[in-house]
Amino acid sequence: MRTLTITFLSCLLAACSADSPSPESSASESSASESRAPEAPSPEYDLVIANGLFYDGSGEAPREVDIAVNGDRVEALLPRGEEVSAELVIDADGQAVAPGFINVLSWATESLIEDGRGLSDTHQGVTLEMFGEGWSMGPLNDTMKARALERQTHIQFPIEWETLGGYLEFLEQRGVTPNVASFIGATTVRIHELGEGDVQPSDEQLENMQELVREAMREGALGVGSSLIYPPAFYAETDELIALAQAAAEFGGGYITHMRSEADGIYEALDETITIGRATGQRAEVYHLKAAGERNWPKMAGAIERIEQARAEGVNIGANMYAYTAGATGLTAALPPWASDGGFDALTERLRDPETRQRIVEEMQAPAEGWENLLELAGSAERVVLIGFSNEELKPLTGKTLAEVAEMRGKSPEETAIDLILEENRRVGTAYFLMSEENVELGLSQPWIALGSDAESAAPEGVFLETSTHPRAYGNFARFLGHYVRERELVSLSEAIRRLTRMPAETWQLENRGCLDPGCYADIVVFDPDTITDHATFAEPQQLATGVDHVFVNGVQVLNEGEHTGATPGRVVRGPGYEGGEQ
C-alpha cells in the first residue's frame, strides 16, 4: 500500500512549453516572471483515500469510490479516478475502507490514562471505546475516591474529577487516540448513595440516585449500565433498576446490562431486561450474551428466541458479544455474593474467619442457588486459568489453571481460590471457560449482535507486561473479521462491518459516528479482509493483531502502514441528553 503526498509544480498551474528557454531569456525575464508567478492554490482536500473498496456501514455491498476529508469530517465521496488535489492521498490498493470500529464494551478506563494510544484496539481499527458496564469513572464521592486510590496497582494516577463527564473530559485533555463514551454505572450510583452493603434504598435515596443519573445524562452519558452478578449490584431489585433507567430515558438514554444470570437463570434474567426495556420505551441491550456452563448450552437458542420475540413485539432490545469461549473476571466470582456484603475489606475479614470460611467453601462446592458460581459453571478447576496478579510472589502462577495450583499446594480448588484472594488482596484476574464454540457462532450470526472486547486497550510493553490478560484485549475484532467472517463465513463482510459501525452508532444515538457519508466524522479504517488476523492466545495474549494498515480518528492519522503515529485526537462522544452545546 502506498502513501502519497501531493505537491504542486508550476507546470500544473499554467501551460508548460515543450522547449526549454535559453539561458539569456531566462535571465532577462527572471525578475518579471517572479513577480507574475501565481501562488499555488490550496489543495481541495486535506485527505483523500483512493482505490479502496468503500464500505459505508449500511450492510450494502462495497462501492468503488474515493473518500475526501476536510478537517474532522468526510467532505465528499468521489468517483473513482477523479483528479483532485489533497495534502495527503492514501492509495488503499483494493483494500477495505470502512468507518472506524466501535467497541461497545470497553474497560480501557485506566489503560488509556497510562497510555493514551490504546495500541491493542487501534491496531484492530477501533476508533471509539464505550465504557460503563456497571462501574463508571464517576460520579465519585470522597470515600469512593479514597478507596479507588487504595486499590490501584500497576497503573497509578491521581483522581482529579468527581463526575463522569469530568473523567471523560480529563481523558480528552490528557490526550487519547480513540474517541471515548460511557454509560453511567448503576453500581457506581448505588455505592455513591448506599455504600457496598446489602441494603435497599429509601425513597429519598432512590431519588438521589436518579438525580445522579440525570446529571450524567446532561454531561453526555449514553444511558445506564448494570452488572448484576457482582455485589453490591447483586443486591439491587428490579424496581431500582427501572427507576434508574427511567431517569436516563428522560433524556433518550438506554439501559445496558450484564444480566443477573447468564446460566441457570438466563431466561428469567432476560425477562427482567425486557421488562426494563418495556418500562422505559428506550433501548435495552445485553452485555456479552452467552449461555454459561455446559448444562446451559442448549439455552442459547432459547435466549435468542426470547430476544427475537421481544423485538417482534416492539421492544428495542439487542445484545453484544466477544468472540471467545472463555470469559474473564475475578476469582471472587466463585464466591457467594453474601460474602461481599460491605465491600472487599468485609469479604477478606470473612475469609479469615475459620467458621465463615468453611461456610463459604461448602457453598462453593454445592450447586449454586440464587447466584452464579463461575467455578462450578466452568465444570472443572482445569477450565479456570489465572491471568492477573499484582503480588510478585504470585506472578509465577500466571497462566496456570486453578487445578494446577491446587495440586501444587495440596488443597482443594475452593480453598486455593480463597488463599489466592487473600494473598493477592484483590480479586485475582481469572479466565473461565464457560461457553461452547457452537454457541459463539450461533450468537455472532445474529443481525442484532454488536462486538465488545470486555477488556482494556493496552500495549505489549511497559507497565502492561506486569500482568497478563485475556486475548480478547488484543484480538476480539480481528478474530471476528478474520476467523468468523473470512474463514467460517458466518456473515458477509458488509454485514460484519455494519455491526461494528453504523448499527451501534445508531443504536446509541451517536450522531455522525459509525458512518462515512458526507458530514460524518472522519473515523476511518483501511484493512485487508484477506489478512486481518488475531495473534493473541491464552498462553501469549499480549500480541497485536495485523491486517489493519491505516486508521484515522476525527480526520487525523493514528495508524500509518501498521505503525502508530503518536497522534491522540480522540474526543468525548456524548449521548442524546448532552446539554453542553455542540459536540
Side-chain angles (χ1 to χ4, degrees), residues 228 237-238 241 260 267-277:
L228 300 177
E237 297 180 354
T238 304
L241 301 171
R260 208 175 289 278
Y267 293 158
E268 294 79 5
L270 264 174
D271 290 344
E272 179 183 51
T273 304
I274 293 166
T275 295
I276 294 170

Side-chain angles (χ1 to χ4, degrees), residues 48-290:
V48 168
I49 301 177
N51 302 322
L53 286 177
F54 172 73
Y55 294 81
D56 64 3
S58 68
E60 299 296 324
R63 291 177 279 161
E64 292 188 350
V65 298
D66 300 338
I67 303 175
V69 173
N70 272 332
D72 61 359
R73 305 270 186 153
V74 175
E75 181 75 18
L77 301 179
L78 308 172
R80 176 64 50 82
E82 179 175 316
E83 292 187 8
V84 296
S85 59
E87 288 284 353
L88 176 67
V89 172
I90 301 292
D91 182 359
D93 196 21
Q95 295 193 8
V97 180
F101 303 149
I102 297 174
N103 185 354
V104 300
L105 173 48
S106 171
W107 280 105
T109 47
E110 296 186 6
S111 60
L112 285 175
I113 297 176
E114 175 66 25
D115 185 341
R117 296 173 299 169
L119 289 186
S120 62
D121 271 359
T122 302
H123 275 263
Q124 298 180 78
V126 172
T127 60
L128 173 59
E129 306 277 359
M130 292 170 53
F131 314 135
E133 185 201 0
W135 286 266
S136 55
M137 297 296 278
L140 304 174
N141 56 34
D142 289 344
T143 300
M144 296 168 74
K145 279 188 177 185
R147 193 165 295 147
L149 289 170
E150 290 173 0
R151 307 308 298 174
Q152 289 180 1
T153 55
H154 302 107
I155 298 176
Q156 298 189 356
F157 52 90
I159 300 177
E160 301 172 349
W161 62 88
E162 283 79 32
T163 68
L164 178 57
Y167 161 74
L168 293 171
E169 290 172 0
F170 165 82
L171 273 189
E172 181 177 319
Q173 292 165 7
R174 188 177 180 90
V176 294
T177 290
N179 298 309
V180 292
S182 185
F183 298 91
I184 180 171
T187 302
T188 302
V189 168
R190 186 172 229 275
I191 293 172
H192 192 284
E193 293 300 308
L194 305 178
E196 299 187 54
D198 182 1
V199 296
Q200 300 306 310
S202 66
D203 290 345
E204 180 180 357
Q205 288 171 323
L206 187 57
E207 176 58 36
N208 290 342
M209 293 163 70
Q210 288 182 301
E211 192 53 43
L212 289 173
V213 172
R214 295 184 183 104
E215 179 185 10
M217 293 301 299
R218 296 184 189 101
E219 293 177 333
L222 306 178
V224 172
S226 70
S227 190
L228 300 177
I229 74 164
Y230 306 111
F234 177 86
Y235 312 133
E237 297 180 354
T238 304
D239 287 346
E240 177 183 322
L241 301 171
I242 290 175
L244 298 184
Q246 285 176 329
E250 295 170 11
F251 300 84
Y255 174 74
I256 189 166
T257 181
H258 179 158
M259 296 191 301
R260 208 175 289 278
S261 174
E262 299 174 322
D264 299 347
I266 187 173
Y267 293 158
E268 294 79 5
L270 264 174
D271 290 344
E272 179 183 51
T273 304
I274 293 166
T275 295
I276 294 170
R278 288 189 198 278
T280 65
Q282 296 294 326
R283 173 70 174 188
E285 184 160 312
V286 176
Y287 275 131
H288 41 60
L289 180 66
K290 65 173 73 72

Side-chain angles (χ1 to χ4, degrees), residues 127-130 168 172 178-182 219-222 508-511 513 521 523 554 570-575 583:
T127 60
L128 173 59
E129 306 277 359
M130 292 170 53
L168 293 171
E172 181 177 319
N179 298 309
V180 292
S182 185
E219 293 177 333
L222 306 178
W508 299 109
Q509 304 174 68
L510 309 179
E511 189 173 354
R513 301 288 179 181
Y521 287 99
D523 301 332
N554 298 313
R571 300 177 186 169
V572 179
V573 174
R574 296 178 173 91
Q583 294 199 54

Side-chain angles (χ1 to χ4, degrees), residues 484-534:
Y484 289 104
V485 176
R486 181 180 66 239
E487 297 173 4
R488 297 293 298 157
E489 299 182 335
L490 294 187
V491 298
S492 70
L493 181 59
S494 294
E495 169 64 8
I497 290 172
R498 180 187 74 86
R499 287 161 48 192
L500 292 172
T501 59
R502 193 178 292 255
M503 185 186 81
E506 291 180 347
T507 293
W508 299 109
Q509 304 174 68
L510 309 179
E511 189 173 354
N512 294 319
R513 301 288 179 181
C515 55
L516 288 179
D517 310 316
C520 292
Y521 287 99
D523 301 332
I524 306 170
V525 56
V526 181
F527 70 98
D528 188 343
D530 294 331
T531 64
I532 188 167
T533 303
D534 66 303

